[in-house]
Amino acid sequence: MKTIFLKDGACDMPPCVATIGFFDGVHHGHGDLINHVAQQAEAEGLTSVAITFDQHPKQVLDKTYQPLLLNTFDEKIKNLSHTLVKYCVVLPFTRELVAMSARQFMEDVLLRQLHVRHLVVGYDHHFGHGRSEGFADYVRYGQELGITVEQWTVFQMRGHNISSSLIRRYLQEGEVLRAAECLGYYYEMTGRVVKGHQLGRRIGFPTANIEVPSEKQLPAPGVYAVKAWTEQSALPYPAMMNIGMRPTFGGSDLSLEVHIFGFQGDLYGQQLEVQFLHRVREEHRFSNKDELTLQLQKDAQTVKEYFHKEHSEWTGGHAL
Protein backbone atom coordinates (compact mmCIF):
# COMPACT_ATOMS: atom_id res chain seq x y z
CA MET A 1 0.00 0.00 0.00
CA LYS A 2 1.24 3.47 -0.90
CA THR A 3 0.42 6.31 1.50
CA ILE A 4 -0.14 9.80 0.08
CA PHE A 5 -0.43 12.90 2.26
CA LEU A 6 -2.64 15.15 0.17
CA LYS A 7 -1.66 18.80 -0.02
CA ASP A 8 -3.00 21.38 -2.45
CA GLY A 9 -3.66 20.25 -6.00
CA ALA A 10 -4.16 16.89 -7.65
CA CYS A 11 -1.94 13.88 -6.98
CA ASP A 12 -0.54 11.49 -9.54
CA MET A 13 -2.93 8.67 -8.61
CA PRO A 14 -4.82 6.92 -11.44
CA PRO A 15 -8.66 6.83 -11.60
CA CYS A 16 -9.96 4.89 -8.65
CA VAL A 17 -12.65 3.30 -6.53
CA ALA A 18 -12.54 4.90 -3.08
CA THR A 19 -14.05 4.92 0.36
CA ILE A 20 -13.63 7.53 3.08
CA GLY A 21 -13.61 7.40 6.87
CA PHE A 22 -11.61 7.88 10.03
CA PHE A 23 -11.18 4.09 10.32
CA ASP A 24 -10.32 4.02 14.02
CA GLY A 25 -9.18 0.48 14.81
CA VAL A 26 -9.41 -0.74 11.20
CA HIS A 27 -11.74 -3.44 12.53
CA HIS A 28 -13.65 -6.20 10.72
CA GLY A 29 -16.34 -3.76 9.59
CA HIS A 30 -13.76 -1.46 8.04
CA GLY A 31 -11.94 -4.41 6.48
CA ASP A 32 -15.15 -5.70 4.91
CA LEU A 33 -15.84 -2.29 3.35
CA ILE A 34 -12.26 -1.71 2.20
CA ASN A 35 -11.86 -5.18 0.72
CA HIS A 36 -15.08 -4.64 -1.24
CA VAL A 37 -13.54 -1.43 -2.60
CA ALA A 38 -10.47 -3.40 -3.70
CA GLN A 39 -12.57 -6.08 -5.37
CA GLN A 40 -14.75 -3.48 -7.11
CA ALA A 41 -11.66 -1.65 -8.32
CA GLU A 42 -10.26 -4.84 -9.83
CA ALA A 43 -13.60 -5.56 -11.57
CA GLU A 44 -13.66 -2.04 -13.07
CA GLY A 45 -10.00 -1.93 -14.01
CA LEU A 46 -9.30 0.91 -11.54
CA THR A 47 -7.09 1.27 -8.50
CA SER A 48 -8.39 1.14 -4.91
CA VAL A 49 -8.12 3.92 -2.32
CA ALA A 50 -8.95 4.36 1.37
CA ILE A 51 -9.23 8.07 2.25
CA THR A 52 -8.69 8.99 5.89
CA PHE A 53 -7.74 11.98 8.06
CA ASP A 54 -4.64 13.05 9.94
CA GLN A 55 -6.56 13.81 13.15
CA HIS A 56 -9.96 13.20 14.67
CA PRO A 57 -12.50 15.60 13.10
CA LYS A 58 -13.86 16.63 16.51
CA GLN A 59 -10.41 17.90 17.50
CA VAL A 60 -10.63 20.55 14.78
CA LEU A 61 -14.14 21.58 15.78
CA ASP A 62 -13.39 21.58 19.52
CA LYS A 63 -9.79 22.16 20.67
CA THR A 64 -10.69 20.90 24.17
CA TYR A 65 -11.89 17.54 22.84
CA GLN A 66 -9.69 14.63 23.91
CA PRO A 67 -10.54 11.53 21.88
CA LEU A 68 -9.99 8.00 23.14
CA LEU A 69 -8.80 6.10 20.09
CA LEU A 70 -8.20 2.45 19.32
CA ASN A 71 -5.26 3.32 17.06
CA THR A 72 -2.65 6.01 16.99
CA PHE A 73 -2.17 7.47 13.52
CA ASP A 74 0.85 5.23 12.83
CA GLU A 75 -1.05 2.14 14.01
CA LYS A 76 -3.97 3.01 11.75
CA ILE A 77 -1.73 3.32 8.69
CA LYS A 78 -0.04 0.02 9.56
CA ASN A 79 -3.41 -1.73 9.91
CA LEU A 80 -4.72 -0.25 6.66
CA SER A 81 -1.63 -1.63 4.93
CA HIS A 82 -2.82 -5.12 5.89
CA THR A 83 -5.99 -4.72 3.80
CA LEU A 84 -6.24 -5.20 0.03
CA VAL A 85 -6.33 -1.49 -0.77
CA LYS A 86 -3.56 -0.11 -3.04
CA TYR A 87 -3.47 3.50 -1.78
CA CYS A 88 -4.15 5.31 1.47
CA VAL A 89 -4.76 9.04 1.02
CA VAL A 90 -4.42 11.15 4.19
CA LEU A 91 -6.39 14.39 4.15
CA PRO A 92 -5.41 17.23 6.51
CA PHE A 93 -8.62 17.83 8.46
CA THR A 94 -8.84 21.63 8.48
CA ARG A 95 -11.55 24.20 9.07
CA GLU A 96 -11.55 24.82 5.31
CA LEU A 97 -12.38 21.16 4.77
CA VAL A 98 -15.08 21.31 7.44
CA ALA A 99 -16.68 24.28 5.66
CA MET A 100 -17.09 22.40 2.36
CA SER A 101 -20.52 21.16 1.33
CA ALA A 102 -20.80 17.51 0.34
CA ARG A 103 -21.05 18.44 -3.34
CA GLN A 104 -18.05 20.76 -3.17
CA PHE A 105 -16.02 18.05 -1.42
CA MET A 106 -16.99 15.49 -4.05
CA GLU A 107 -16.10 17.84 -6.90
CA ASP A 108 -12.96 19.57 -5.56
CA VAL A 109 -11.36 16.72 -3.61
CA LEU A 110 -12.76 13.40 -4.78
CA LEU A 111 -13.07 14.17 -8.49
CA ARG A 112 -10.44 16.81 -9.30
CA GLN A 113 -7.69 15.86 -6.87
CA LEU A 114 -8.16 12.12 -6.41
CA HIS A 115 -9.84 11.10 -9.69
CA VAL A 116 -12.53 9.04 -7.95
CA ARG A 117 -14.87 7.27 -10.36
CA HIS A 118 -16.72 5.05 -7.90
CA LEU A 119 -17.33 5.98 -4.25
CA VAL A 120 -18.36 3.41 -1.63
CA VAL A 121 -19.71 4.89 1.61
CA GLY A 122 -20.37 3.09 4.88
CA TYR A 123 -23.95 2.41 5.93
CA ASP A 124 -23.93 5.30 8.45
CA HIS A 125 -21.29 7.61 6.96
CA HIS A 126 -21.93 11.34 6.40
CA PHE A 127 -19.62 14.03 5.10
CA GLY A 128 -19.87 17.69 4.16
CA HIS A 129 -20.57 20.82 6.18
CA GLY A 130 -22.99 20.13 9.01
CA ARG A 131 -23.27 16.47 7.95
CA SER A 132 -26.85 17.29 6.98
CA GLU A 133 -26.80 15.55 3.61
CA GLY A 134 -27.10 11.82 3.14
CA PHE A 135 -26.74 8.97 0.70
CA ALA A 136 -29.48 10.14 -1.71
CA ASP A 137 -27.71 13.52 -1.99
CA TYR A 138 -24.36 11.85 -2.66
CA VAL A 139 -25.93 9.77 -5.43
CA ARG A 140 -27.44 12.87 -7.04
CA TYR A 141 -24.18 14.81 -6.87
CA GLY A 142 -22.33 11.80 -8.21
CA GLN A 143 -24.63 11.62 -11.23
CA GLU A 144 -23.87 15.27 -11.96
CA LEU A 145 -20.11 14.74 -11.58
CA GLY A 146 -19.67 11.33 -13.13
CA ILE A 147 -19.03 9.47 -9.86
CA THR A 148 -20.97 6.30 -9.15
CA VAL A 149 -21.95 6.17 -5.46
CA GLU A 150 -22.63 2.92 -3.62
CA GLN A 151 -23.68 2.35 0.00
CA TRP A 152 -22.11 -0.66 1.70
CA THR A 153 -24.00 -2.80 4.18
CA VAL A 154 -23.39 -3.02 7.91
CA PHE A 155 -21.02 -5.75 9.11
CA GLN A 156 -22.38 -7.82 12.00
CA MET A 157 -20.99 -10.38 14.43
CA ARG A 158 -23.11 -12.15 17.04
CA GLY A 159 -26.01 -9.88 16.19
CA HIS A 160 -24.03 -6.66 16.83
CA ASN A 161 -23.12 -3.96 14.35
CA ILE A 162 -19.32 -3.88 14.50
CA SER A 163 -18.14 -0.34 15.22
CA SER A 164 -15.26 1.47 16.89
CA SER A 165 -17.59 2.57 19.71
CA LEU A 166 -18.62 -1.05 20.43
CA ILE A 167 -14.95 -2.09 20.62
CA ARG A 168 -14.16 0.81 22.96
CA ARG A 169 -17.02 -0.32 25.19
CA TYR A 170 -15.67 -3.87 25.29
CA LEU A 171 -12.23 -2.55 26.28
CA GLN A 172 -13.72 -0.33 28.98
CA GLU A 173 -15.37 -3.46 30.38
CA GLY A 174 -12.13 -5.45 30.21
CA GLU A 175 -13.53 -7.73 27.49
CA VAL A 176 -10.29 -7.82 25.50
CA LEU A 177 -11.12 -11.11 23.76
CA ARG A 178 -14.42 -9.75 22.44
CA ALA A 179 -12.61 -6.63 21.31
CA ALA A 180 -10.08 -8.82 19.47
CA GLU A 181 -12.88 -10.73 17.75
CA CYS A 182 -14.29 -7.45 16.43
CA LEU A 183 -10.89 -6.03 15.49
CA GLY A 184 -9.56 -9.15 13.84
CA TYR A 185 -6.36 -8.85 15.90
CA TYR A 186 -5.38 -8.56 19.55
CA TYR A 187 -5.67 -5.04 20.90
CA GLU A 188 -2.23 -3.51 21.21
CA MET A 189 -0.42 -0.49 22.47
CA THR A 190 3.13 0.78 22.39
CA GLY A 191 4.66 2.92 25.10
CA ARG A 192 7.98 4.26 26.28
CA VAL A 193 9.37 2.60 29.41
CA VAL A 194 9.67 5.19 32.18
CA LYS A 195 10.80 5.23 35.80
CA GLY A 196 8.11 3.96 38.14
CA HIS A 197 7.77 3.59 41.88
CA GLN A 198 9.70 0.27 41.75
CA LEU A 199 7.19 -1.31 44.11
CA GLY A 200 7.02 -4.49 42.04
CA ARG A 201 10.76 -5.01 42.31
CA ARG A 202 10.53 -4.94 46.10
CA ILE A 203 8.05 -7.85 46.13
CA GLY A 204 9.71 -10.00 43.49
CA PHE A 205 7.80 -8.79 40.43
CA PRO A 206 9.93 -6.22 38.60
CA THR A 207 7.89 -4.35 36.01
CA ALA A 208 8.41 -2.09 33.05
CA ASN A 209 6.22 0.97 33.48
CA ILE A 210 5.04 2.26 30.11
CA GLU A 211 3.77 5.66 29.09
CA VAL A 212 1.30 5.59 26.18
CA PRO A 213 -0.24 8.48 24.20
CA SER A 214 -3.00 10.20 26.17
CA GLU A 215 -5.55 9.61 23.39
CA LYS A 216 -5.07 5.83 23.48
CA GLN A 217 -8.06 3.86 24.82
CA LEU A 218 -6.98 1.72 27.77
CA PRO A 219 -8.63 -1.54 28.78
CA ALA A 220 -10.35 -1.58 32.16
CA PRO A 221 -8.11 -1.70 35.24
CA GLY A 222 -6.98 -5.19 36.15
CA VAL A 223 -4.43 -7.91 35.47
CA TYR A 224 -3.96 -9.24 31.93
CA ALA A 225 -2.06 -11.92 30.07
CA VAL A 226 -0.16 -10.11 27.31
CA LYS A 227 2.53 -10.63 24.73
CA ALA A 228 5.36 -8.10 24.88
CA TRP A 229 7.92 -7.03 22.31
CA THR A 230 11.03 -5.09 23.25
CA GLU A 231 12.93 -3.04 20.66
CA GLN A 232 15.43 -5.89 20.30
CA SER A 233 13.03 -8.87 20.26
CA ALA A 234 11.72 -10.22 16.96
CA LEU A 235 9.52 -12.66 18.87
CA PRO A 236 7.23 -11.77 21.80
CA TYR A 237 7.78 -12.50 25.44
CA PRO A 238 4.92 -13.92 27.51
CA ALA A 239 4.08 -11.31 30.13
CA MET A 240 1.64 -10.20 32.81
CA MET A 241 0.35 -6.64 32.82
CA ASN A 242 -1.40 -4.59 35.48
CA ILE A 243 -3.43 -1.47 34.74
CA GLY A 244 -4.47 0.38 37.84
CA MET A 245 -3.96 2.90 40.61
CA ARG A 246 -1.89 0.69 42.97
CA PRO A 247 -4.63 0.93 45.66
CA THR A 248 -2.75 -1.31 48.12
CA PHE A 249 0.01 1.32 48.30
CA GLY A 250 -2.36 4.28 48.28
CA GLY A 251 -1.65 5.19 44.67
CA SER A 252 -3.46 8.11 43.08
CA ASP A 253 -2.19 7.95 39.50
CA LEU A 254 -2.89 5.34 36.84
CA SER A 255 0.03 3.07 36.03
CA LEU A 256 0.64 0.52 33.28
CA GLU A 257 3.11 -2.10 34.51
CA VAL A 258 4.38 -5.07 32.53
CA HIS A 259 6.12 -8.04 34.18
CA ILE A 260 7.97 -9.92 31.42
CA PHE A 261 8.63 -13.58 32.18
CA GLY A 262 12.21 -14.63 31.56
CA PHE A 263 13.48 -11.15 30.69
CA GLN A 264 16.77 -9.80 32.00
CA GLY A 265 17.95 -6.34 31.12
CA ASP A 266 17.32 -2.62 31.25
CA LEU A 267 14.39 -1.26 29.22
CA TYR A 268 14.33 2.36 30.41
CA GLY A 269 13.73 4.75 27.54
CA GLN A 270 12.86 2.00 25.08
CA GLN A 271 9.57 1.36 23.31
CA LEU A 272 7.62 -1.66 24.53
CA GLU A 273 4.71 -3.10 22.56
CA VAL A 274 2.03 -5.24 24.23
CA GLN A 275 -0.93 -7.24 22.93
CA PHE A 276 -3.85 -8.00 25.27
CA LEU A 277 -4.85 -11.66 25.22
CA HIS A 278 -6.90 -12.30 28.34
CA ARG A 279 -8.10 -10.54 31.48
CA VAL A 280 -7.15 -12.47 34.58
CA ARG A 281 -8.96 -10.39 37.20
CA GLU A 282 -10.19 -6.95 38.20
CA GLU A 283 -8.11 -4.53 40.25
CA HIS A 284 -8.32 -5.11 44.03
CA ARG A 285 -7.07 -3.39 47.14
CA PHE A 286 -5.22 -5.77 49.45
CA SER A 287 -4.79 -5.29 53.18
CA ASN A 288 -0.99 -5.53 53.10
CA LYS A 289 2.07 -6.18 50.93
CA ASP A 290 2.21 -9.91 51.75
CA GLU A 291 -1.38 -10.44 50.65
CA LEU A 292 -0.65 -8.63 47.39
CA THR A 293 2.51 -10.67 46.82
CA LEU A 294 0.60 -13.92 47.29
CA GLN A 295 -2.06 -12.80 44.81
CA LEU A 296 0.57 -11.79 42.24
CA GLN A 297 2.14 -15.24 42.54
CA LYS A 298 -1.28 -16.77 41.83
CA ASP A 299 -1.80 -14.35 38.92
CA ALA A 300 1.57 -15.30 37.44
CA GLN A 301 0.72 -18.98 37.64
CA THR A 302 -2.66 -18.34 36.00
CA VAL A 303 -1.01 -16.42 33.17
CA LYS A 304 1.62 -19.13 32.63
CA GLU A 305 -1.08 -21.80 32.49
CA TYR A 306 -3.00 -19.68 30.02
CA PHE A 307 0.01 -19.43 27.72
CA HIS A 308 0.66 -23.17 27.92
CA LYS A 309 -2.96 -23.98 27.13
CA GLU A 310 -4.01 -21.28 24.64
CA HIS A 311 -0.79 -19.94 23.14
CA SER A 312 1.73 -22.71 22.81
CA GLU A 313 3.25 -20.76 19.89
CA TRP A 314 4.69 -18.23 22.41
CA THR A 315 7.82 -20.38 22.49
CA GLY A 316 10.59 -18.96 20.44
CA GLY A 317 13.46 -18.80 22.85
CA HIS A 318 11.52 -16.96 25.56
CA ALA A 319 10.90 -19.22 28.54
CA LEU A 320 8.20 -18.84 31.14
Side-chain angles (χ1 to χ4, degrees), residues 167-180:
I167 297 167
R168 279 191 286 272
R169 193 187 83 196
Y170 282 149
L171 292 172
Q172 290 162 1
E173 295 171 352
E175 297 282 357
V176 292
L177 186 55
R178 286 197 172 185

